[in-house]
Amino acid sequence: MQESPIFDFLNSLSPIKPVKSIHVTQTINPFTFASLPSVLTSPHVGSLSRSRFVRWRQLYDSSKFEFSCDDGSTVLINRTVENTSAKLGEHQENRDSRLFLGEIDGDPSYDISNIGAEFARCSDSKCSSPRCDIKVEQIEECSTNSSTLFPFTQKPFQRDLCEIEVNLEGLCQADQNKEAISCDWENLMFDDPDLLKLESSNYNLLHNKPAYAEAIFRERSEGENMATLPDEGIEVLEITEPHDIFTSSRNNCNEKKDGDLKEFSSSISNSELDPLNLIQQSCISILKISGSYHERRRCCLIFGTSESQIGHLEDNAGSDSSILQQSVGSTFLSDRHSVSTNMGNESSGCILREMSLHRHALAVNQNDYKIDKNETSDSRRLLLGSCSSISFNSSVADLEFQTNISEQESNTLENGVFPMEDDGRVYGYAAAEEINQCTPKRKRFRSESPRDGETCKRCNCKKSKCLKLYCECFAAGIYCMEPCACIDCFNKPVHIDTVLATRKQIETRNPLAFAPKVIKASDTRPESWEDLSKSPASARHKRGCNCKKSGCLKKYCECYQGGVGCSVNCRCERCKNTFGIKDGPCLTIMEADSEEDETNLMEKNVLDISLQKTDLRQNLGYAPSTSLQGIRQSVPHPYSTNKKTPTSSFPYNSSASSFYASQILRRPNFFQIPSRLDKRLQMVKEDDIPEFLQQGSSPIPCIKSVSPKRKRVLSPHSVGQSSPSFRSSRKLVLQSIPSFPCLTSNQ
DNA sequence: GAGTTTGAAACT
DNA sequence: CAGTTTCAAACTC
């Protein structure tokens, strides 16, 4: 890979030659961490599991620091950077229980500990909860441009990783009344803007680098901080705009309220490229959460600098920088939340100009986010990509995403394999050896608990480094996560550059490589149908299978695995796919009517549903479909809860559909089954093309169908263009967008 | 858990 | 484009 053109290109972008990494490998083991002698001798340290605490630790130089404050304590940080005498560990408590954290050896680059202090202070100011835990951690600083550490990626970034964890659970634990919780973060955070004014400019002066910030939400792993709080009610209801402290940001703040969601995006001027500002704003925005305070969530903010970005941007003055922008402007999405930082490159070399917080969830697979406590949460699943391509209806996210603490994590813990903190996705700035956390014990995790994590992809890749489509995680557009048993995994946030570059390379080869494998027939509102039929009807594998021996009756067959019948696209032999065989009769509605007596009740139901869909589609102004795939697929899908259930893939095409569905479902006659005549009349317009297809708006170029021996892909565009009205053939429409947002659209 | 089978993906 | 190899999931024992 190092010799691949893409990496040559990447390397050529950076005028900065790799230097020896100063990184010191750190294995962050909470147990180890917990066992460290407390730097602070605060009497409250011992009650971490139940107390509010601010924890700050510095690991880059192998020193670990932890600050904690207990109930009633207020954390006050000394922001005087020059005060080198304020050594780490110094603290004092006054009568109002203020805990002085001090500086870390006066190094201005680490005064982000202030943030935690500020947060803690804010939390203290109004929260009366006995457990309002706030933890700020700087995990490490890592200059990861070393090809030694990362032989497959040129990673000229210096990053600091700051982890901020907010544990608000205790706030409503007492009375179980969320509404009673009045921890107004918005006020908490900014009731003293001056106090929040960090000495962050020193960082810029010191490093003279542009900065970028990334934010990652993830759930806290059990045991990470000794907390023993139950896992429940994880929900962030609101993200609000930033406070005055970011005055310039506020002026440009856009707030869009949608349901209980507020989305804000704020512009940050050049002078605010300070990573501290970034991180602060990010954190504050994230922390400005209201609603459920059963929240236990960790926000990881990765901020850093990129010298190569500077050079590149200066050299090119805002021209070609797609790759850099990909690495600069990234959106990490996790469960219900996403925090994205849009950092465009301005002529001045400015990297960051916008930071936005989205609560819009962007899922790869809806099933990954099923509301099911028994399922492994995918909250830690992160999607990569540029921000600009992401836009969702928050209500959809509300419907579709809810996460719970991963039981797998707990299981892993029980098995004695502690989930590293945390498998490189968040703490990925470690040396390569740390990345390879996979142990033999974790091998074949999937097979050990085949049902536990079916809503969550896990791979066991050994050779592909999870950077090929062999890897299910990578193919699905998600990071590998803790349950994965992959080896040498590069499909992690720390390798976002590599991931994106690889992805782009693959997409160059096949623009639809990351598109869902199963596409639905002329149905642009799949989510609605799914709700109705609960079956993966009206879908086909986009390429078809090529099974020779499995008879398309095993999950080797992608069609079968996807719960769809084989189609003319398949080259399978001796197809016996229970969802529809390749050479089976291509039924139409008319034919189905004549055969209705021969269908069983289930099939009739499916037909009715299909017709209801037709009706619905009419109501929506969309043409009905004649496809009777639903009939052919009426056999209950044995993997209905399977992660790969195709109809639930890529829900981010679902915002509109869900909306439409919700609207239509309110119609009193929605469930009225049309008369037979109506049914037939509704067949007429079957091939109306969704607007977005008619407009040829798909950025994906048409993929021509090739010889039957070759894999075939039908693109939306090609389908739309080749589908004249009133033609009654089956039509397959790729409905979903690739799992990764467009790589080049983050301007 | 180890080994085998299978077919997609990648490679030539 | 076709054949081959690689790969990891699915499957079997």
PDB file of all heavy atoms in Angstrom, chain B:
ATOM      1  P    DG B   1     -13.605 -21.179  21.882  1.00  0.00           P
ATOM      2  OP1  DG B   1     -12.817 -20.647  22.969  1.00  0.00           O
ATOM      3  OP2  DG B   1     -14.418 -20.329  21.032  1.00  0.00           O
ATOM      4  O5'  DG B   1     -12.664 -22.075  20.955  1.00  0.00           O
ATOM      5  C5'  DG B   1     -11.884 -23.071  21.570  1.00  0.00           C
ATOM      6  C4'  DG B   1     -11.309 -23.969  20.508  1.00  0.00           C
ATOM      7  O4'  DG B   1     -12.381 -24.690  19.859  1.00  0.00           O
ATOM      8  C3'  DG B   1     -10.548 -23.242  19.407  1.00  0.00           C
ATOM      9  O3'  DG B   1      -9.378 -23.969  19.108  1.00  0.00           O
ATOM     10  C2'  DG B   1     -11.526 -23.206  18.254  1.00  0.00           C
ATOM     11  C1'  DG B   1     -12.334 -24.480  18.452  1.00  0.00           C
ATOM     12  N9   DG B   1     -13.712 -24.399  17.991  1.00  0.00           N
ATOM     13  C8   DG B   1     -14.613 -23.376  18.210  1.00  0.00           C
ATOM     14  N7   DG B   1     -15.784 -23.588  17.669  1.00  0.00           N
ATOM     15  C5   DG B   1     -15.651 -24.830  17.060  1.00  0.00           C
ATOM     16  C6   DG B   1     -16.584 -25.598  16.307  1.00  0.00           C
ATOM     17  O6   DG B   1     -17.758 -25.311  16.032  1.00  0.00           O
ATOM     18  N1   DG B   1     -16.036 -26.805  15.879  1.00  0.00           N
ATOM     19  C2   DG B   1     -14.763 -27.216  16.133  1.00  0.00           C
ATOM     20  N2   DG B   1     -14.412 -28.390  15.639  1.00  0.00           N
ATOM     21  N3   DG B   1     -13.884 -26.521  16.826  1.00  0.00           N
ATOM     22  C4   DG B   1     -14.384 -25.345  17.249  1.00  0.00           C
ATOM     23  P    DA B   2      -8.376 -23.419  18.115  1.00  0.00           P
ATOM     24  OP1  DA B   2      -7.029 -23.637  18.673  1.00  0.00           O
ATOM     25  OP2  DA B   2      -8.797 -22.078  17.660  1.00  0.00           O
ATOM     26  O5'  DA B   2      -8.586 -24.437  16.909  1.00  0.00           O
ATOM     27  C5'  DA B   2      -8.602 -25.828  17.187  1.00  0.00           C
ATOM     28  C4'  DA B   2      -8.941 -26.590  15.930  1.00  0.00           C
ATOM     29  O4'  DA B   2     -10.353 -26.464  15.658  1.00  0.00           O
ATOM     30  C3'  DA B   2      -8.210 -26.099  14.684  1.00  0.00           C
ATOM     31  O3'  DA B   2      -7.720 -27.214  13.956  1.00  0.00           O
ATOM     32  C2'  DA B   2      -9.280 -25.335  13.919  1.00  0.00           C
ATOM     33  C1'  DA B   2     -10.557 -26.063  14.325  1.00  0.00           C
ATOM     34  N9   DA B   2     -11.759 -25.242  14.291  1.00  0.00           N
ATOM     35  C8   DA B   2     -11.907 -23.981  14.799  1.00  0.00           C
ATOM     36  N7   DA B   2     -13.109 -23.481  14.636  1.00  0.00           N
ATOM     37  C5   DA B   2     -13.802 -24.479  13.977  1.00  0.00           C
ATOM     38  C6   DA B   2     -15.114 -24.581  13.513  1.00  0.00           C
ATOM     39  N6   DA B   2     -16.028 -23.608  13.653  1.00  0.00           N
ATOM     40  N1   DA B   2     -15.498 -25.723  12.898  1.00  0.00           N
ATOM     41  C2   DA B   2     -14.600 -26.691  12.759  1.00  0.00           C
ATOM     42  N3   DA B   2     -13.319 -26.728  13.154  1.00  0.00           N
ATOM     43  C4   DA B   2     -12.985 -25.576  13.765  1.00  0.00           C
ATOM     44  P    DG B   3      -6.801 -26.969  12.731  1.00  0.00           P
ATOM     45  OP1  DG B   3      -5.705 -27.953  12.784  1.00  0.00           O
ATOM     46  OP2  DG B   3      -6.519 -25.535  12.593  1.00  0.00           O
ATOM     47  O5'  DG B   3      -7.796 -27.381  11.552  1.00  0.00           O
ATOM     48  C5'  DG B   3      -8.463 -28.634  11.640  1.00  0.00           C
ATOM     49  C4'  DG B   3      -9.586 -28.678  10.628  1.00  0.00           C
ATOM     50  O4'  DG B   3     -10.611 -27.738  11.015  1.00  0.00           O
ATOM     51  C3'  DG B   3      -9.160 -28.296   9.205  1.00  0.00           C
ATOM     52  O3'  DG B   3      -9.571 -29.323   8.315  1.00  0.00           O
ATOM     53  C2'  DG B   3      -9.896 -26.991   8.932  1.00  0.00           C
ATOM     54  C1'  DG B   3     -11.096 -27.085   9.867  1.00  0.00           C
ATOM     55  N9   DG B   3     -11.650 -25.802  10.272  1.00  0.00           N
ATOM     56  C8   DG B   3     -10.986 -24.789  10.931  1.00  0.00           C
ATOM     57  N7   DG B   3     -11.751 -23.748  11.167  1.00  0.00           N
ATOM     58  C5   DG B   3     -12.976 -24.098  10.636  1.00  0.00           C
ATOM     59  C6   DG B   3     -14.189 -23.385  10.591  1.00  0.00           C
ATOM     60  O6   DG B   3     -14.429 -22.248  11.024  1.00  0.00           O
ATOM     61  N1   DG B   3     -15.195 -24.093   9.962  1.00  0.00           N
ATOM     62  C2   DG B   3     -15.049 -25.362   9.444  1.00  0.00           C
ATOM     63  N2   DG B   3     -16.131 -25.898   8.878  1.00  0.00           N
ATOM     64  N3   DG B   3     -13.925 -26.047   9.481  1.00  0.00           N
ATOM     65  C4   DG B   3     -12.935 -25.357  10.086  1.00  0.00           C
ATOM     66  P    DT B   4      -9.257 -29.160   6.809  1.00  0.00           P
ATOM     67  OP1  DT B   4      -8.937 -30.494   6.281  1.00  0.00           O
ATOM     68  OP2  DT B   4      -8.361 -28.019   6.591  1.00  0.00           O
ATOM     69  O5'  DT B   4     -10.698 -28.752   6.264  1.00  0.00           O
ATOM     70  C5'  DT B   4     -11.821 -29.544   6.634  1.00  0.00           C
ATOM     71  C4'  DT B   4     -13.071 -29.030   5.948  1.00  0.00           C
ATOM     72  O4'  DT B   4     -13.471 -27.777   6.556  1.00  0.00           O
ATOM     73  C3'  DT B   4     -12.916 -28.756   4.451  1.00  0.00           C
ATOM     74  O3'  DT B   4     -14.006 -29.362   3.768  1.00  0.00           O
ATOM     75  C2'  DT B   4     -12.939 -27.232   4.347  1.00  0.00           C
ATOM     76  C1'  DT B   4     -13.790 -26.854   5.553  1.00  0.00           C
ATOM     77  N1   DT B   4     -13.511 -25.496   6.119  1.00  0.00           N
ATOM     78  C2   DT B   4     -14.524 -24.591   6.199  1.00  0.00           C
ATOM     79  O2   DT B   4     -15.655 -24.827   5.822  1.00  0.00           O
ATOM     80  N3   DT B   4     -14.174 -23.376   6.745  1.00  0.00           N
ATOM     81  C4   DT B   4     -12.925 -23.004   7.207  1.00  0.00           C
ATOM     82  O4   DT B   4     -12.734 -21.893   7.679  1.00  0.00           O
ATOM     83  C5   DT B   4     -11.903 -24.002   7.103  1.00  0.00           C
ATOM     84  C7   DT B   4     -10.532 -23.708   7.578  1.00  0.00           C
ATOM     85  C6   DT B   4     -12.241 -25.190   6.567  1.00  0.00           C
ATOM     86  P    DT B   5     -14.048 -29.312   2.219  1.00  0.00           P
ATOM     87  OP1  DT B   5     -14.649 -30.566   1.728  1.00  0.00           O
ATOM     88  OP2  DT B   5     -12.755 -28.826   1.680  1.00  0.00           O
ATOM     89  O5'  DT B   5     -15.121 -28.149   2.039  1.00  0.00           O
ATOM     90  C5'  DT B   5     -16.346 -28.239   2.754  1.00  0.00           C
ATOM     91  C4'  DT B   5     -17.208 -27.030   2.452  1.00  0.00           C
ATOM     92  O4'  DT B   5     -16.679 -25.862   3.109  1.00  0.00           O
ATOM     93  C3'  DT B   5     -17.311 -26.673   0.969  1.00  0.00           C
ATOM     94  O3'  DT B   5     -18.676 -26.493   0.652  1.00  0.00           O
ATOM     95  C2'  DT B   5     -16.508 -25.376   0.846  1.00  0.00           C
ATOM     96  C1'  DT B   5     -16.678 -24.774   2.228  1.00  0.00           C
ATOM     97  N1   DT B   5     -15.592 -23.867   2.696  1.00  0.00           N
ATOM     98  C2   DT B   5     -15.928 -22.619   3.164  1.00  0.00           C
ATOM     99  O2   DT B   5     -17.070 -22.206   3.217  1.00  0.00           O
ATOM    100  N3   DT B   5     -14.859 -21.872   3.589  1.00  0.00           N
ATOM    101  C4   DT B   5     -13.530 -22.248   3.593  1.00  0.00           C
ATOM    102  O4   DT B   5     -12.661 -21.485   4.008  1.00  0.00           O
ATOM    103  C5   DT B   5     -13.253 -23.565   3.082  1.00  0.00           C
ATOM    104  C7   DT B   5     -11.843 -24.053   3.042  1.00  0.00           C
ATOM    105  C6   DT B   5     -14.286 -24.303   2.666  1.00  0.00           C
ATOM    106  P    DT B   6     -19.115 -26.418  -0.834  1.00  0.00           P
ATOM    107  OP1  DT B   6     -20.455 -27.012  -0.917  1.00  0.00           O
ATOM    108  OP2  DT B   6     -18.023 -26.868  -1.708  1.00  0.00           O
ATOM    109  O5'  DT B   6     -19.255 -24.838  -0.994  1.00  0.00           O
ATOM    110  C5'  DT B   6     -20.113 -24.132  -0.107  1.00  0.00           C
ATOM    111  C4'  DT B   6     -19.894 -22.650  -0.248  1.00  0.00           C
ATOM    112  O4'  DT B   6     -18.646 -22.297   0.340  1.00  0.00           O
ATOM    113  C3'  DT B   6     -19.822 -22.149  -1.693  1.00  0.00           C
ATOM    114  O3'  DT B   6     -21.034 -21.511  -2.004  1.00  0.00           O
ATOM    115  C2'  DT B   6     -18.632 -21.178  -1.703  1.00  0.00           C
ATOM    116  C1'  DT B   6     -18.223 -21.103  -0.245  1.00  0.00           C
ATOM    117  N1   DT B   6     -16.750 -20.997   0.013  1.00  0.00           N
ATOM    118  C2   DT B   6     -16.256 -19.929   0.723  1.00  0.00           C
ATOM    119  O2   DT B   6     -16.948 -19.043   1.154  1.00  0.00           O
ATOM    120  N3   DT B   6     -14.896 -19.950   0.910  1.00  0.00           N
ATOM    121  C4   DT B   6     -14.014 -20.914   0.464  1.00  0.00           C
ATOM    122  O4   DT B   6     -12.821 -20.816   0.684  1.00  0.00           O
ATOM    123  C5   DT B   6     -14.601 -22.001  -0.277  1.00  0.00           C
ATOM    124  C7   DT B   6     -13.727 -23.089  -0.798  1.00  0.00           C
ATOM    125  C6   DT B   6     -15.924 -21.999  -0.457  1.00  0.00           C
ATOM    126  P    DG B   7     -21.369 -21.204  -3.500  1.00  0.00           P
ATOM    127  OP1  DG B   7     -22.831 -21.271  -3.633  1.00  0.00           O
ATOM    128  OP2  DG B   7     -20.489 -21.975  -4.398  1.00  0.00           O
ATOM    129  O5'  DG B   7     -20.938 -19.679  -3.581  1.00  0.00           O
ATOM    130  C5'  DG B   7     -21.519 -18.745  -2.676  1.00  0.00           C
ATOM    131  C4'  DG B   7     -20.727 -17.452  -2.672  1.00  0.00           C
ATOM    132  O4'  DG B   7     -19.392 -17.708  -2.188  1.00  0.00           O
ATOM    133  C3'  DG B   7     -20.552 -16.801  -4.042  1.00  0.00           C
ATOM    134  O3'  DG B   7     -20.573 -15.405  -3.878  1.00  0.00           O
ATOM    135  C2'  DG B   7     -19.156 -17.249  -4.455  1.00  0.00           C
ATOM    136  C1'  DG B   7     -18.473 -17.163  -3.094  1.00  0.00           C
ATOM    137  N9   DG B   7     -17.226 -17.887  -2.983  1.00  0.00           N
ATOM    138  C8   DG B   7     -16.882 -19.067  -3.593  1.00  0.00           C
ATOM    139  N7   DG B   7     -15.668 -19.474  -3.287  1.00  0.00           N
ATOM    140  C5   DG B   7     -15.194 -18.501  -2.425  1.00  0.00           C
ATOM    141  C6   DG B   7     -13.951 -18.385  -1.769  1.00  0.00           C
ATOM    142  O6   DG B   7     -12.982 -19.168  -1.826  1.00  0.00           O
ATOM    143  N1   DG B   7     -13.883 -17.248  -0.987  1.00  0.00           N
ATOM    144  C2   DG B   7     -14.899 -16.324  -0.843  1.00  0.00           C
ATOM    145  N2   DG B   7     -14.652 -15.300  -0.050  1.00  0.00           N
ATOM    146  N3   DG B   7     -16.067 -16.417  -1.454  1.00  0.00           N
ATOM    147  C4   DG B   7     -16.146 -17.520  -2.217  1.00  0.00           C
ATOM    148  P    DA B   8     -21.070 -14.508  -5.020  1.00  0.00           P
ATOM    149  OP1  DA B   8     -22.544 -14.469  -5.000  1.00  0.00           O
ATOM    150  OP2  DA B   8     -20.362 -14.863  -6.261  1.00  0.00           O
ATOM    151  O5'  DA B   8     -20.516 -13.117  -4.500  1.00  0.00           O
ATOM    152  C5'  DA B   8     -20.717 -12.761  -3.140  1.00  0.00           C
ATOM    153  C4'  DA B   8     -19.541 -11.946  -2.633  1.00  0.00           C
ATOM    154  O4'  DA B   8     -18.380 -12.787  -2.490  1.00  0.00           O
ATOM    155  C3'  DA B   8     -19.135 -10.801  -3.562  1.00  0.00           C
ATOM    156  O3'  DA B   8     -18.845  -9.650  -2.780  1.00  0.00           O
ATOM    157  C2'  DA B   8     -17.893 -11.338  -4.264  1.00  0.00           C
ATOM    158  C1'  DA B   8     -17.293 -12.259  -3.217  1.00  0.00           C
ATOM    159  N9   DA B   8     -16.549 -13.392  -3.756  1.00  0.00           N
ATOM    160  C8   DA B   8     -16.995 -14.314  -4.656  1.00  0.00           C
ATOM    161  N7   DA B   8     -16.106 -15.241  -4.952  1.00  0.00           N
ATOM    162  C5   DA B   8     -15.007 -14.894  -4.193  1.00  0.00           C
ATOM    163  C6   DA B   8     -13.734 -15.474  -4.050  1.00  0.00           C
ATOM    164  N6   DA B   8     -13.341 -16.570  -4.708  1.00  0.00           N
ATOM    165  N1   DA B   8     -12.869 -14.877  -3.210  1.00  0.00           N
ATOM    166  C2   DA B   8     -13.256 -13.787  -2.559  1.00  0.00           C
ATOM    167  N3   DA B   8     -14.425 -13.143  -2.602  1.00  0.00           N
ATOM    168  C4   DA B   8     -15.261 -13.758  -3.448  1.00  0.00           C
ATOM    169  P    DA B   9     -18.554  -8.313  -3.502  1.00  0.00           P
ATOM    170  OP1  DA B   9     -19.105  -7.260  -2.632  1.00  0.00           O
ATOM    171  OP2  DA B   9     -18.921  -8.389  -4.922  1.00  0.00           O
ATOM    172  O5'  DA B   9     -16.966  -8.249  -3.408  1.00  0.00           O
ATOM    173  C5'  DA B   9     -16.355  -8.346  -2.130  1.00  0.00           C
ATOM    174  C4'  DA B   9     -14.850  -8.347  -2.279  1.00  0.00           C
ATOM    175  O4'  DA B   9     -14.428  -9.605  -2.841  1.00  0.00           O
ATOM    176  C3'  DA B   9     -14.299  -7.254  -3.186  1.00  0.00           C
ATOM    177  O3'  DA B   9     -13.241  -6.597  -2.507  1.00  0.00           O
ATOM    178  C2'  DA B   9     -13.815  -8.005  -4.432  1.00  0.00           C
ATOM    179  C1'  DA B   9     -13.486  -9.379  -3.870  1.00  0.00           C
ATOM    180  N9   DA B   9     -13.636 -10.477  -4.811  1.00  0.00           N
ATOM    181  C8   DA B   9     -14.697 -10.753  -5.611  1.00  0.00           C
ATOM    182  N7   DA B   9     -14.552 -11.836  -6.340  1.00  0.00           N
ATOM    183  C5   DA B   9     -13.300 -12.301  -5.985  1.00  0.00           C
ATOM    184  C6   DA B   9     -12.561 -13.424  -6.396  1.00  0.00           C
ATOM    185  N6   DA B   9     -12.989 -14.308  -7.297  1.00  0.00           N
ATOM    186  N1   DA B   9     -11.342 -13.599  -5.840  1.00  0.00           N
ATOM    187  C2   DA B   9     -10.913 -12.718  -4.936  1.00  0.00           C
ATOM    188  N3   DA B   9     -11.520 -11.630  -4.471  1.00  0.00           N
ATOM    189  C4   DA B   9     -12.721 -11.478  -5.039  1.00  0.00           C
ATOM    190  P    DA B  10     -12.538  -5.398  -3.156  1.00  0.00           P
ATOM    191  OP1  DA B  10     -12.171  -4.496  -2.052  1.00  0.00           O
ATOM    192  OP2  DA B  10     -13.300  -4.907  -4.311  1.00  0.00           O
ATOM    193  O5'  DA B  10     -11.204  -6.084  -3.692  1.00  0.00           O
ATOM    194  C5'  DA B  10     -10.445  -6.864  -2.790  1.00  0.00           C
ATOM    195  C4'  DA B  10      -9.326  -7.551  -3.543  1.00  0.00           C
ATOM    196  O4'  DA B  10      -9.886  -8.598  -4.357  1.00  0.00           O
ATOM    197  C3'  DA B  10      -8.533  -6.640  -4.475  1.00  0.00           C
ATOM    198  O3'  DA B  10      -7.163  -6.717  -4.131  1.00  0.00           O
ATOM    199  C2'  DA B  10      -8.820  -7.184  -5.877  1.00  0.00           C
ATOM    200  C1'  DA B  10      -9.198  -8.622  -5.586  1.00  0.00           C
ATOM    201  N9   DA B  10     -10.099  -9.235  -6.560  1.00  0.00           N
ATOM    202  C8   DA B  10     -11.305  -8.762  -6.997  1.00  0.00           C
ATOM    203  N7   DA B  10     -11.910  -9.532  -7.864  1.00  0.00           N
ATOM    204  C5   DA B  10     -11.033 -10.590  -8.014  1.00  0.00           C
ATOM    205  C6   DA B  10     -11.094 -11.754  -8.813  1.00  0.00           C
ATOM    206  N6   DA B  10     -12.099 -12.049  -9.621  1.00  0.00           N
ATOM    207  N1   DA B  10     -10.043 -12.620  -8.729  1.00  0.00           N
ATOM    208  C2   DA B  10      -9.037 -12.316  -7.907  1.00  0.00           C
ATOM    209  N3   DA B  10      -8.872 -11.252  -7.113  1.00  0.00           N
ATOM    210  C4   DA B  10      -9.917 -10.428  -7.216  1.00  0.00           C
ATOM    211  P    DC B  11      -6.151  -5.826  -4.867  1.00  0.00           P
ATOM    212  OP1  DC B  11      -5.144  -5.461  -3.858  1.00  0.00           O
ATOM    213  OP2  DC B  11      -6.856  -4.791  -5.645  1.00  0.00           O
ATOM    214  O5'  DC B  11      -5.483  -6.838  -5.892  1.00  0.00           O
ATOM    215  C5'  DC B  11      -5.090  -8.134  -5.411  1.00  0.00           C
ATOM    216  C4'  DC B  11      -4.797  -9.038  -6.575  1.00  0.00           C
ATOM    217  O4'  DC B  11      -6.019  -9.390  -7.239  1.00  0.00           O
ATOM    218  C3'  DC B  11      -3.888  -8.422  -7.638  1.00  0.00           C
ATOM    219  O3'  DC B  11      -2.716  -9.193  -7.742  1.00  0.00           O
ATOM    220  C2'  DC B  11      -4.727  -8.473  -8.914  1.00  0.00           C
ATOM    221  C1'  DC B  11      -5.736  -9.567  -8.598  1.00  0.00           C
ATOM    222  N1   DC B  11      -7.024  -9.471  -9.341  1.00  0.00           N
ATOM    223  C2   DC B  11      -7.394 -10.506 -10.212  1.00  0.00           C
ATOM    224  O2   DC B  11      -6.639 -11.470 -10.345  1.00  0.00           O
ATOM    225  N3   DC B  11      -8.575 -10.408 -10.872  1.00  0.00           N
ATOM    226  C4   DC B  11      -9.363  -9.350 -10.689  1.00  0.00           C
ATOM    227  N4   DC B  11     -10.511  -9.312 -11.351  1.00  0.00           N
ATOM    228  C5   DC B  11      -9.002  -8.280  -9.794  1.00  0.00           C
ATOM    229  C6   DC B  11      -7.829  -8.390  -9.151  1.00  0.00           C
ATOM    230  P    DT B  12      -1.503  -8.651  -8.603  1.00  0.00           P
ATOM    231  OP1  DT B  12      -0.278  -9.076  -7.915  1.00  0.00           O
ATOM    232  OP2  DT B  12      -1.748  -7.236  -8.943  1.00  0.00           O
ATOM    233  O5'  DT B  12      -1.656  -9.500  -9.940  1.00  0.00           O
ATOM    234  C5'  DT B  12      -1.744 -10.920  -9.858  1.00  0.00           C
ATOM    235  C4'  DT B  12      -1.967 -11.500 -11.251  1.00  0.00           C
ATOM    236  O4'  DT B  12      -3.349 -11.335 -11.632  1.00  0.00           O
ATOM    237  C3'  DT B  12      -1.121 -10.848 -12.336  1.00  0.00           C
ATOM    238  O3'  DT B  12      -0.479 -11.851 -13.087  1.00  0.00           O
ATOM    239  C2'  DT B  12      -2.141 -10.101 -13.190  1.00  0.00           C
ATOM    240  C1'  DT B  12      -3.404 -10.913 -12.971  1.00  0.00           C
ATOM    241  N1   DT B  12      -4.683 -10.158 -13.134  1.00  0.00           N
ATOM    242  C2   DT B  12      -5.680 -10.695 -13.892  1.00  0.00           C
ATOM    243  O2   DT B  12      -5.597 -11.767 -14.444  1.00  0.00           O
ATOM    244  N3   DT B  12      -6.811  -9.911 -13.975  1.00  0.00           N
ATOM    245  C4   DT B  12      -7.020  -8.678 -13.385  1.00  0.00           C
ATOM    246  O4   DT B  12      -8.074  -8.067 -13.529  1.00  0.00           O
ATOM    247  C5   DT B  12      -5.928  -8.173 -12.599  1.00  0.00           C
ATOM    248  C7   DT B  12      -6.044  -6.851 -11.926  1.00  0.00           C
ATOM    249  C6   DT B  12      -4.820  -8.931 -12.520  1.00  0.00           C
TER     250       DT B  12
END
